[in-house]
Structure formats: C-alpha cells, structure tokens
Amino acid sequence: MIEELWDRQYIQEVSSILKTHPFEVKNVTGTIGINRKDPIDIKPVPNIQEVRKKYGKEIMIDHIDIMLNDDYPLDSKQQEKENEKVFNFLQDLRTHNMGHHLALEITYKNSQQRYQIFINERQGNKYHHPEDMKKALIKTQKQVEQTYRK
C-alpha cells in the first residue's frame, strides 16, 4: 500500500518535471524501487521526496515510461533536436536525484521511435552529451521511415 502511494507521488513528480520540457505527453507511468537492505522508518509515512532525500541515491531505483503524442522527425537536423530534448530531460532527472539507477523509455506516437535509457552500476552512464542519445534509439532510420509509410 505504501509503495502504491509512493508510485503515485513519483508519477506526479515526474509529470511536473516533464511539464518544463517541450514534449506533448500522452501518458506517464513510473515506479520507484527501494533497496530493502536498509529499513525505512514508515511512522509517520514519508512521501517519496522525503525518502529520496533521507536515504539517498544508492537505494533508489527509478523506472519511467513516457508515451508521447509527438511524431518522431524524419529530418536529421530535427532528430538532433530530439536528442537534445531527451538529453535535457535526462539532465533534469539527474538534478532531481533520479538518474543513478534509471530505466527510462520514451516512445513516440504510433511507436515511430523509442529511446531506451538504462543507467546503473553495471552499465554505467554513457549519456554525457546530446549526441550520446543516439545510443538509446531502438529503431534505425529505415525502420522509422517504414513506420511512416504504414
């Protein structure tokens, strides 16, 4: 029950961060995982922001799925701008201590394209510049173009 409360608070937190970015969001889902090795005092029940602040990044696992109403652009210059938008959102998550153990998926309208970003101790963080976001793209340019033909 507490986890459901935290998940709702988490989705609200992510949604409020998203509002500051130029995406047309259709839906956001998210869950927060807590490493249970360190017991959390739940009397009184802390909100998810208090848990994040008190227990820190080492026990928080963030999972965010974002569905967009945005079309993924076919033009390479516009794709670079999309990479920059996604990178800026990722940077914003980091400033909110949500980028240490992260699974983030951003899916464009009609599954035209998807960014799949994983950051953890094993994989590390390979996203240091907007152009690094190309590593997170799931579809090739040809696959994206085929999506538009359907």
Side-chain angles (χ1 to χ4, degrees):
M1 183 142 144
I2 291 172
E3 281 132 0
E4 289 176 26
L5 171 67
W6 285 343
D7 285 348
R8 281 195 311 271
Q9 291 171 346
Y10 183 65
I11 291 168
Q12 288 174 340
E13 185 177 22
V14 170
S15 295
S16 70
I17 295 168
L18 265 170
K19 287 180 182 178
T20 65
H21 294 272
F23 296 111
E24 189 179 327
V25 178
K26 180 178 181 178
N27 189 34
V28 177
T29 59
T31 57
I32 188 85
I34 309 290
N35 183 343
R36 293 291 179 191
K37 291 177 187 173
D38 301 320
I40 295 175
D41 182 13
I42 58 170
K43 295 179 185 174
V45 176
N47 67 37
I48 195 63
Q49 292 82 11
E50 292 167 335
V51 171
R52 184 186 320 285
K53 187 175 183 177
K54 184 173 181 181
Y55 295 96
K57 61 188 178 187
E58 57 277 349
I59 67 160
M60 306 300 283
I61 302 164
D62 299 281
H63 183 249
I64 306 166
D65 288 317
I66 302 167
M67 300 289 292
L68 300 177
N69 278 326
D70 298 327
D71 284 313
Y72 187 77
L74 292 175
D75 177 70
S76 62
K77 291 288 183 194
Q78 293 298 328
Q79 289 173 356
E80 289 175 17
K81 288 182 181 180
E82 289 303 308
N83 289 338
E84 190 171 333
K85 286 169 41 177
V86 171
F87 180 76
N88 289 339
F89 176 64
L90 179 59
Q91 290 294 87
D92 206 357
L93 290 176
R94 289 176 178 146
T95 63
H96 288 84
N97 290 321
M98 296 181 188
H100 308 308
H101 299 282
L102 175 68
L104 170 63
E105 286 195 31
I106 300 175
T107 305
Y108 286 77
K109 184 168 87 179
N110 300 326
S111 297
Q112 295 163 340
Q113 182 58 284
R114 188 171 78 221
Y115 287 90
Q116 199 170 52
I117 299 163
F118 296 107
I119 299 172
N120 56 41
E121 288 144 357
R122 193 176 74 219
Q123 292 184 337
N125 178 7
K126 53 189 173 190
Y127 311 104
H128 304 286
H129 306 283
E131 58 270 12
D132 293 338
M133 300 315 302
K134 291 178 186 176
K135 299 172 190 173
L137 291 171
I138 299 301
K139 292 184 176 184
T140 64
Q141 179 68 20
K142 186 176 180 178
Q143 289 171 320
V144 170
E145 290 170 2
Q146 288 173 344
T147 305
Y148 274 86
R149 289 189 200 124
K150 291 180 182 179

